Amino acid sequence: MNTNKSEQLFEKAKNLFPGGVNSPVRAFGSVGGKPRFITKGKGSRVWDADGNEYIDFCASWGPLILGHANEKVENAIIAAVKEGTSFGAPTVQENELADLILSNHSYVERIRFVSSGTEAVMSAIRLARGYTGRDKLIKFEGCYHGHVDSLLVKAGSGLVTFGNSSSAGVPKSFVDETIVIALNDIEAVKDAFVMFKDEIAAIIIEPIPANNGLLLQDGKFLRALREICSDENALLIFDEVISGFRVGFEGATGLYDIKPDIITLGKIIGGGMPVGAFASSEKIMNSIAPLGPVYQAGTLSGNPVAMAAGKAAVEQLLEPGFYAELERKTKNLVSSVIEHIEHKEYKVKMFSIGSVYWIAFTERPSIRTSSEIDPESMNIYRKFYHSLLNNGFYIGPSGYEVGFVSAAHSDEEIAEAARIINLSLDVALNPG
Ligand SMILES: *Cc1c(COP(=O)(O)O)cnc(C)c1O
């Protein structure tokens, strides 16, 4: 595969952006090699600057559940742009997307749009703190919530701990408000509420943690979190930026039928444009400005072009059988790969839920916590990754990233993808 143009563009980019990128994982640091500059996407495929073609399972990190340049989304964006791109005043497009979501999502009553998942989470935790009058948060090791200061925190030692910042530039005083607990450890959550009685504003969790491998949780654990929050008058925040509209229209909330107090959304909700949102009950959302004391605002919030894209995307998700079809294709992909893994007796697992999958080089039957991921396995992942890429299969460049099946993947492409995964497993696991 010729990648000269991508390499030249990356050299140029390194003189423009730190590390040549505007979001760190894009730099290929964890798999090695040089990133591909993508110039075009259509349906399930992307093309790079050298004209190489890939079947895409990155889907822009999840938003493109309909594939690239979906015709209805594209037409909606063009029609909106022609009327002007931003007004800083209320628009009909905001009403339409909100109405579409709220009338088909039985767990929330009010929504507010922002421009990214990070902004949604940041606003949700301020809302939780303002509503409860408490400062502390519980988060789980292995869940990602964007680059919000007080959530860039990793576990320290001990079961119930204040974390250590996972980024320079986060004040210690912020970190001290965040309690970090291992996933699936309900006893530690209970201990935290004993130690910090009436101080904890909220528990935030990705109900389907999908940013650090795919750490599928037991529904019992999620239900226990709901009960504890209700008993302790703390709020439960489901960060559904990745799982929302992905595992069903009502996301993980609907899948597990657990009602969180606040849901954060992003990725799919913008149809490929920058949109995030947080949603809750009327009562809790009444705390937000201008009705209540919790300040939150945005110059480009509810941007009409982004809203039009979101509406055109989200309404297609309501078509009968949409999710069943996505799941059918994902199951085909997963079962073809698992069959190969079992036949070859590889120490590899493929986990999946809805249309999300993750391949782990492990002997464990399940992986529920981040500490169960073997960092050494990432060395094998590198070889696997480069074989995928060179055979025309694109996915986020890290062994901790999940893959996304989209409605644009045909059955033939799913079969081809399984063939490439299987041959790449052979390459990665059979040295020489
Ligand atoms: C992607 C993601 C975010 C951050 O969203 P950005 O749009 O990248 O700021 C937050 N939470 C979860 C669960 C995510 O997957």
Side-chain angles (χ1 to χ4, degrees):
M1 208 177 248
N2 183 350
T3 58
N4 290 343
K5 288 207 174 113
S6 278
E7 284 178 34
Q8 281 164 18
L9 287 164
F10 191 51
E11 287 310 311
K12 169 86 181 160
K14 284 199 268 189
N15 292 321
L16 301 171
F17 315 114
V21 289
N22 286 299
S23 196
V25 69
R26 296 179 195 172
F28 269 49
S30 78
V31 292
K34 303 272 173 64
R36 306 293 154 93
F37 274 64
I38 304 297
T39 52
K40 181 183 154 75
K42 184 67 195 167
S44 64
R45 303 206 172 229
V46 292
W47 288 264
D48 70 17
D50 294 279
N52 301 308
E53 181 174 337
Y54 307 84
I55 307 177
D56 181 34
F57 289 87
C58 174
S60 188
W61 305 92
L64 301 181
I65 192 166
L66 301 166
H68 296 269
N70 173 267
E71 207 179 328
K72 287 178 182 159
V73 176
E74 193 176 295
N75 290 339
I77 291 173
I78 293 166
V81 164
K82 287 188 167 165
E83 303 297 323
T85 53
S86 183
F87 308 107
T91 61
V92 67
Q93 286 93 340
E94 293 160 88
N95 283 12
E96 287 174 357
L97 180 56
D99 198 23
L100 181 65
I101 294 165
L102 294 179
S103 56
N104 290 289
H105 197 306
S106 50
Y107 299 83
V108 285
E109 296 166 347
R110 294 285 184 277
I111 190 165
R112 178 159 284 176
F113 293 117
V114 294
S115 300
S116 72
T118 296
E119 206 186 340
V121 170
M122 194 185 81
S123 308
I125 63 178
R126 183 179 306 139
L127 172 58
R129 286 169 160 159
Y131 182 80
T132 59
R134 300 171 179 182
D135 290 341
K136 293 202 190 314
L137 301 170
I138 291 179
K139 76 151 285 202
F140 296 94
E141 183 83 359
C143 287
Y144 177 68
H145 303 290
H147 61 97
V148 179
D149 275 329
S150 48
L151 298 173
L152 282 179
V153 180
K154 56 183 187 300
S157 52
L159 282 183
V160 175
T161 57
F162 290 114
N164 302 312
S165 162
S166 55
S167 165
V170 176
K172 183 174 177 303
S173 56
F174 288 27
V175 173
D176 286 349
E177 302 299 347
T178 306
I179 301 156
V180 186
I181 292 173
L183 283 161
N184 203 33
D185 189 350
I186 202 66
E187 292 308 315
V189 175
K190 288 182 187 160
D191 290 349
F193 275 99
V194 172
M195 285 166 78
F196 304 104
K197 185 82 191 150
D198 300 333
E199 289 183 68
I200 297 168
I203 296 178
I204 183 163
I205 186 168
E206 283 182 83
I208 299 174
N211 279 286
N212 185 72
L214 182 62
L215 307 175
L216 296 173
Q217 298 301 295
D218 191 342
K220 271 190 242 155
F221 173 66
L222 298 173
R223 268 186 285 281
L225 296 179
R226 173 65 279 173
E227 272 175 38
I228 292 171
C229 284
S230 300
D231 292 348
E232 300 287 342
N233 298 313
L235 301 190
L236 180 63
I237 304 173
F238 273 4
D239 182 356
E240 294 231 53
V241 171
I242 221 166
S243 55
F245 306 108
R246 175 52 73 176
V247 296
F249 195 91
E250 294 174 310
T253 298
L255 190 71
Y256 291 105
D257 189 23
I258 297 170
K259 190 175 191 288
D261 298 292
I262 306 174
I263 298 175
T264 54
L265 296 163
K267 300 200 167 103
I268 290 174
I269 202 179
M273 297 289 281
V275 180
F278 57 103
S280 181
S281 63
E282 180 187 356
K283 182 166 178 244
I284 292 174
M285 290 296 263
N286 282 351
S287 294
I288 291 278
L291 290 181
V294 178
Y295 189 69
Q296 190 280 326
T299 302
L300 293 172
S301 290
N303 173 269
V305 181
M307 295 289 107
K311 183 191 166 219
V314 168
E315 68 192 0
Q316 293 181 61
L317 312 180
L318 288 168
E319 284 163 15
F322 178 86
Y323 287 101
E325 178 61 7
L326 257 187
E327 259 170 62
R328 181 189 66 78
K329 285 191 241 179
T330 311
K331 285 210 170 99
N332 283 348
L333 178 70
V334 173
S335 63
S336 307
V337 175
I338 289 181
E339 203 174 291
H340 184 72
I341 291 170
E342 289 178 352
H343 174 68
K344 298 273 181 154
E345 299 181 2
Y346 288 150
K347 291 166 187 162
V348 180
K349 290 283 162 0
M350 189 168 187
F351 302 107
S352 70
I353 185 166
S355 51
V356 186
Y357 77 84
W358 180 53
I359 291 173
F361 293 88
T362 184
E363 286 184 77
R364 293 174 183 275
S366 71
I367 296 188
R368 289 202 197 284
T369 68
S370 60
S371 64
E372 289 169 356
I373 304 175
D374 174 11
E376 291 292 311
S377 69
M378 296 303 155
N379 295 328
I380 309 172
Y381 191 86
R382 278 165 183 253
K383 287 185 206 148
F384 175 62
Y385 185 81
H386 284 285
S387 173
L388 292 178
L389 203 58
N390 289 328
N391 283 288
F393 182 115
Y394 192 82
I395 182 177
S398 159
Y400 293 92
E401 300 296 346
V402 296
F404 299 96
V405 176
S406 82
H409 287 109
S410 66
D411 284 338
E412 292 70 32
E413 285 167 326
I414 290 291
E416 171 68 0
R419 189 188 67 78
I420 298 172
I421 291 175
N422 291 344
L423 79 83
S424 298
L425 287 173
D426 295 344
V427 167
L429 294 166
N430 298 302

